Amino acid sequence: MSSIIQLLPDHVANQIAAGEVVQRPASVVKELLENSVDAGSTEIKLIVKDAGKTLIQVIDNGRGMSVTDARMCFERHATSKIRFAEDLFSLHTKGFRGEALASIAAIAHVELKTRQEQDELGTHLVIEGSKFTSQDVAVLPKGTSFAVKNLFFNIPARRNFLKSDMVEFRHIIDEFERVALAHHNISFVLYHNGSEMFNLPSSNQRQRIVNIFGGRTNEKLVPVKESTEIVEIQGFVCKPEFAKKNRGEQFFFVNNRFIKSGYLHHAVMAAYEGLLKDGCQPGYFIYLDVPPNTIDINIHPTKTEIKFDDEHALYAILRSAIKHSLGQFNVAPVLDFERDANLDTPYSYEHKEAVVPAVEVDRNFNPFADEKPARAASAASSFTAAPAFRREKASSWESLYTGIAPAADEIAEMNFESEEVTGSLFNEAEVEQAVYKTYQIHKKYIVSPIKSGMVIIDQKRAHQRILYEQFLTNITIHHASSQQLLFPLVLYYNQSELDLLREMRQALENTGFVFAEFNLDHIVVSGLPVNVAESEVSILLEELINDLQQEVPDSSFSQTDSIAKSMARSLAVKTGTLLTDKEQEAMVNALFACKEPDVSPFNKPTFITVSVEDLDKRFAI
């Protein structure tokens, strides 16, 4: 019997490895940026076109590579970061597996330009699907330029699985921010489709955070610092009043490497216990420095998860450090045993009576009198007692109306309509139906009787359906009304959030929003939809931005649908809200006036029907 196991060709093996390393354009961005950081660069430039599908180029001024290294870097398991297995437990660099460049070259057109400082000429390589097509000597600046074009050109199935440009670019920005936050001493620039999105000069940690997330971020930050034998902690946490519904601005860095850790996140949430509203998440930028031999990085393909030797101690230290910082900067209440001695009252004052202040009044002062007589009278009787004021009795008010008797011909007869009921506006069946009432159960469900039994409505889902169809109609027909604000609202956002709002500006204005200004770091809202309260605007736009960042479809109709769904979910009446009888009746009528009243915008049932027969069966037991 012949053998059935065989070795895969290199190009097939590289494509399979690429499925683990390169999941989307953001994966390429992460690998190339980390290589530039490891090369000792002080300036890194990222150029992206069409959310990375057409071009991803990283240019740095690092050490560069020799001719041999330039070819070797595309081989599988070729790396300059480690030599022995023991090196995995003393890592001080980013990439170390040696699979990234080989995987990228297997599924894209790659152009590499590199030169070392001591060399006069550099190397120019072109690779298409793991095949070297050209190698030339060229005059190049010091450093490396790595261009990845036409990603997944030979794997169309993977390319079809990519999301919209907005979503893919959001992932690229996430990777860019993570690397930029971890290395504040390096200058970063990001261009997308020819437009400069970020220009981050070399700075300190706090300034780097402010440059990325906007100028108003500075007032949110509370510094955290702790040094122990196990870990050295530094960074910032955000004040509780700036907590958001989504988990956007939350970053953990271990030895300047971004990680995700639910365990450490729980430690942060424990430090904020009692300070946050329900469902809110605090922002934080925590930098942990631990000995390399106490962590294991190589447990996840993307290296975003780390195994710690002593997680329990790390948890306790992180929680206490954040709690201490919140108390130190008067964010959280603390016990203060120090008192100001100046506020103490001497014991000798215990039985002492309070001194009543003497008040002198000039009772002859008249502001309406002539100036000279007033002064004379005031001088003659300065601070002398005067008789009490007397109010003259007014004349009888009846005398004001004498001689105004009405003429006889001006008095008209007033005929009153008979109150006798001659008929009914409704027939008996309609009157019987009108006396039916709706009832609210547990501030969650509305029960309304119908001919065949009763209908039980979920008030939250029903209101979502009502608002969804209203917003969808307003956006498409452009006739929404607005309420103008006396004092316009100024809301601050970072660059990516502002770009998203600009993209959705027309659709938002069709729902009733009025935007007076769109500036570099904030917007000015001067008008709101009729059913949106001023206090809800910030929360509504934050949730809308979060929803759109997670999934923005390509077509304009789908974008409109996403906006209508997000706004309906944010503004719908919540479970636990008490509704009046009129509100219940209005909701029932509005629900059954919808085009699809039986499901919410998220395809969940809005009501169920219980027939009289079903009730009879239950009682027949």
Side-chain angles (χ1 to χ4, degrees):
M1 187 174 179
S2 60
S3 300
I4 60 174
I5 298 177
Q6 58 183 353
L7 287 174
L8 289 174
D10 287 343
H11 68 281
V12 178
N14 286 338
Q15 288 185 5
I16 294 173
E20 194 175 81
V21 178
V22 185
Q23 300 174 354
R24 54 185 357 130
S27 305
V28 178
V29 171
K30 174 181 182 294
E31 298 292 346
L32 297 184
L33 288 177
E34 289 182 349
N35 283 343
S36 294
V37 171
D38 288 340
S41 308
T42 58
E43 296 178 2
I44 299 176
K45 185 183 297 183
L46 172 61
I47 302 171
V48 178
K49 290 184 179 178
D50 299 330
K53 299 174 184 177
T54 303
L55 172 68
I56 298 172
Q57 185 175 8
V58 174
I59 304 171
D60 64 57
N61 63 346
R63 288 187 290 269
M65 291 182 284
S66 64
V67 178
T68 305
D69 289 342
R71 288 189 66 95
M72 279 292 296
C73 70
F74 293 103
E75 299 294 330
R76 291 190 68 197
H77 308 301
T79 178
S80 62
K81 315 299 174 61
I82 61 174
R83 290 288 184 270
F84 307 101
E86 291 77 12
D87 294 340
L88 291 173
F89 301 99
S90 60
L91 289 171
H92 298 277
T93 57
K94 305 292 185 184
F96 53 85
R97 291 179 178 170
E99 292 180 333
L101 297 184
S103 301
I104 293 170
I107 55 173
H109 297 163
V110 177
E111 185 177 1
L112 173 63
K113 298 178 182 179
T114 182
R115 181 181 74 86
Q116 293 180 320
E117 187 174 8
Q118 65 272 18
D119 296 334
E120 294 183 1
L121 298 175
T123 305
H124 180 198
L125 289 176
V126 178
I127 305 174
E128 297 180 1
S130 296
K131 295 180 181 178
F132 286 86
T133 59
S134 68
Q135 177 176 340
D136 299 317
V137 177
V139 178
L140 301 170
K142 175 205 169 190
T144 302
S145 171
F146 209 112
V148 178
K149 305 174 184 177
N150 305 322
L151 193 64
F152 299 124
F153 79 99
N154 53 356
I155 312 179
R158 294 294 301 275
R159 192 176 182 91
N160 292 335
F161 271 101
L162 295 178
K163 304 293 185 182
S164 64
D165 284 0
M166 187 70 71
V167 174
E168 295 298 338
F169 186 60
R170 177 68 248 176
H171 286 287
I172 289 175
I173 289 180
D174 288 342
E175 296 294 348
F176 178 82
E177 289 176 351
R178 292 166 182 174
V179 177
L181 286 171
H183 302 277
H184 56 85
N185 55 338
I186 300 177
S187 172
F188 289 90
V189 183
L190 170 59
Y191 294 94
H192 183 230
N193 292 336
S195 301
E196 184 180 275
M197 306 299 297
F198 289 95
N199 190 342
L200 309 175
S202 175
S203 58
N204 56 30
Q205 284 181 352
R206 190 181 193 114
Q207 191 61 45
R208 174 57 56 89
I209 295 170
V210 171
N211 288 338
I212 292 177
F213 295 101
R216 290 297 295 272
T217 310
N218 190 37
E219 66 185 58
K220 306 177 186 178
L221 301 179
V222 176
V224 176
K225 193 168 185 179
E226 187 68 42
S227 181
T228 66
E229 295 179 355
I230 300 175
V231 61
E232 185 174 341
I233 301 173
Q234 59 180 346
F236 303 90
V237 294
C238 292
K239 297 177 181 177
E241 60 264 29
F242 296 103
K244 298 182 178 180
K245 294 287 185 181
N246 60 337
R247 298 177 59 171
E249 300 173 1
Q250 296 181 346
F251 297 89
F252 281 116
F253 299 94
V254 175
N255 296 352
N256 289 333
R257 182 192 300 273
F258 172 79
I259 67 160
K260 297 177 181 177
S261 175
Y263 190 69
L264 296 182
H265 173 75
H266 191 275
V268 176
M269 296 300 293
Y272 277 91
E273 186 177 4
L275 300 176
L276 298 175
K277 298 179 182 177
D278 291 338
C280 289
Q281 295 283 338
Y284 52 79
F285 308 86
I286 306 295
Y287 297 82
L288 308 175
D289 191 6
V290 299
N293 60 348
T294 62
I295 58 175
D296 185 5
I297 301 170
N298 196 28
I299 64 171
H300 193 272
T302 59
K303 300 188 286 291
T304 56
E305 296 181 11
I306 289 181
K307 179 66 177 175
F308 296 93
D309 280 356
D310 195 352
E311 286 186 333
H312 297 289
L314 195 61
Y315 181 99
I317 295 171
L318 180 61
R319 182 184 61 179
S320 61
I322 295 175
K323 211 171 186 66
H324 174 72
S325 294
L326 293 175
Q328 183 181 6
F329 290 91
N330 296 325
V331 177
V334 292
L335 292 175
D336 189 4
F337 296 101
E338 297 180 1
R339 58 183 176 80
D340 189 355
N342 295 326
L343 300 178
D344 292 342
T345 303
Y347 288 111
S348 58
Y349 281 64
E350 183 178 3
H351 302 290
K352 199 170 184 179
E353 295 292 335
V355 179
V356 179
V359 179
E360 296 179 348
V361 179
D362 182 6
R363 298 184 181 276
N364 292 327
F365 175 72
N366 185 359
F368 300 102
D370 292 339
E371 185 177 356
K372 290 182 179 179
R375 285 182 179 177
S378 177
S381 60
S382 176
F383 302 112
T384 58
F389 288 108
R390 293 180 182 176
R391 176 173 291 182
E392 297 292 336
K393 189 173 181 180
S395 301
S396 179
W397 60 271
E398 291 91 344
S399 62
L400 299 175
Y401 297 94
T402 55
I404 319 181
D409 55 350
E410 292 180 0
I411 302 177
E413 287 191 14
M414 300 179 67
N415 296 323
F416 295 94
E417 185 178 350
S418 174
E419 295 184 359
E420 181 182 355
V421 179
T422 58
S424 176
L425 295 175
F426 305 96
N427 56 39
E428 293 182 2
E430 289 176 335
V431 172
E432 190 175 317
Q433 180 72 17
V435 299
Y436 283 174
K437 252 186 104 176
T438 59
Y439 298 93
Q440 190 180 25
I441 301 177
H442 294 295
K443 300 180 183 179
K444 184 176 184 180
Y445 300 107
I446 298 174
V447 179
S448 178
I450 56 177
K451 288 183 179 180
S452 60
M454 63 179 176
V455 60
I456 304 175
I457 302 171
D458 186 310
Q459 65 183 32
K460 179 180 178 181
R461 296 179 184 177
H463 201 204
Q464 286 177 350
R465 164 55 61 178
I466 297 167
L467 292 176
Y468 169 72
E469 294 199 3
Q470 287 179 358
F471 286 129
L472 208 57
T473 302
N474 293 340
I475 295 174
T476 52
I477 303 180
H478 316 300
H479 75 282
S481 56
S482 302
Q483 52 181 348
Q484 296 299 310
L485 296 175
L486 183 61
F487 301 102
L489 292 175
V490 181
L491 304 175
Y492 290 82
Y493 298 99
N494 60 40
Q495 187 64 44
S496 60
E497 293 172 341
L498 283 173
D499 291 338
L500 189 57
L501 286 174
R502 287 191 184 95
E503 182 118 357
M504 303 300 164
R505 179 174 183 175
Q506 186 61 49
L508 290 174
E509 288 179 343
N510 292 339
T511 63
F513 281 96
V514 179
F515 298 101
E517 296 179 20
F518 262 83
N519 293 317
L520 294 176
D521 61 344
H522 69 276
I523 63 173
V524 180
V525 181
S526 59
L528 303 176
V530 176
N531 53 351
V532 177
E534 186 175 346
S535 60
E536 298 175 340
V537 178
S538 178
I539 299 173
L540 171 63
L541 291 180
E542 281 182 7
E543 292 181 353
L544 176 62
I545 289 172
N546 184 50
D547 291 340
L548 295 176
Q549 284 177 343
Q550 298 302 321
E551 186 62 47
V552 180
D554 291 319
S555 65
S556 60
F557 175 77
S558 297
Q559 290 179 357
T560 300
D561 185 70
S562 297
I563 293 174
K565 283 182 179 178
S566 179
M567 293 182 65
R569 179 169 55 195
S570 300
L571 297 175
V573 62
K574 302 296 187 290
T575 298
T577 303
L578 182 64
L579 301 179
T580 63
D581 293 342
K582 290 185 178 180
E583 290 172 339
Q584 296 172 29
E585 186 177 353
M587 183 174 292
V588 173
N589 294 334
L591 175 64
F592 290 102
C594 293
K595 294 180 180 178
E596 298 182 18
D598 52 341
V599 293
S600 73
F602 308 99
N603 294 323
K604 295 181 179 179
T606 57
F607 65 88
I608 59 173
T609 304
V610 180
S611 64
V612 176
E613 290 79 5
D614 294 337
L615 294 175
D616 292 340
K617 290 177 182 177
R618 298 296 298 269
F619 283 104
I621 299 175

